[in-house]
Amino acid sequence: MTLQVIKDDLQGWTVLHVLGEVDYAVVPELREHVRRAVADGDHRIVLELTEVEFLDSTGIGTLVAARRLLRSTGGTLRLVMPSNNDHHVNRVFTALGLRRLFDVHPDLDEALCDDTPTDEDLSAAG
């Protein structure tokens, strides 16, 4: 399956629904979607990853770079992925200890809720 990214604007957030496999062949496309959203002035971005079937190290690097980009612009990045261990991305994040670096939510409704902590809130607390 190839990568597909669908952009939505919901409740003041730019949501990028990522579907398929995120590997070295498609990370430039994902990186460009994030870069374009930020260049367009979108500084509250949710990457919805529930339909990602595979994520390799280059995909992880792209997510870390997206986090860095949003933080450098004073923006916020939130990730959506199921918390169950059957989800590939969740298993990778758990195994590598990446969940603590990101603002991760189990569903889109929670990620869009304004009273959940932002990246800035998490940084100030830690």
Side-chain angles (χ1 to χ4, degrees):
M1 179 180 215
T2 61
L3 179 73
Q4 184 177 10
V5 179
I6 301 167
K7 181 180 176 184
D8 275 331
D9 293 311
L10 300 169
Q11 300 176 23
W13 289 86
T14 297
V15 179
L16 298 176
H17 302 272
V18 184
L19 300 91
E21 297 183 358
V22 181
D23 61 18
Y24 73 95
V26 298
V27 293
E29 181 181 347
L30 178 57
R31 187 175 19 242
E32 180 59 20
H33 279 279
V34 173
R35 188 206 61 75
R36 192 176 318 125
V38 172
D40 289 345
D42 302 329
H43 296 283
R44 292 170 36 128
I45 296 178
V46 175
L47 292 177
E48 203 276 326
L49 306 173
T50 57
E51 297 298 321
V52 172
E53 298 170 1
F54 178 78
L55 178 77
D56 73 2
S57 61
T58 60
I60 292 167
T62 299
L63 296 178
V64 171
R67 178 182 179 266
R68 188 177 313 119
L69 174 62
L70 267 297
R71 290 181 73 150
S72 74
T73 63
T76 300
L77 176 68
R78 294 180 177 174
L79 304 181
V80 175
M81 70 177 84
S83 56
N84 68 50
N85 286 329
D86 293 336
H87 189 257
H88 173 77
V89 178
N90 185 47
R91 285 194 317 265
V92 170
F93 266 63
T94 300
L96 297 175
L98 293 172
R99 291 183 73 87
R100 63 180 167 69
L101 293 178
F102 291 92
D103 186 3
V104 180
H105 299 269
D107 59 56
L108 186 57
D109 288 338
E110 184 179 303
L112 296 174
C113 185
D114 279 337
D115 63 349
T116 56
T118 64
D119 287 343
E120 294 81 28
D121 295 334
L122 296 173
S123 296

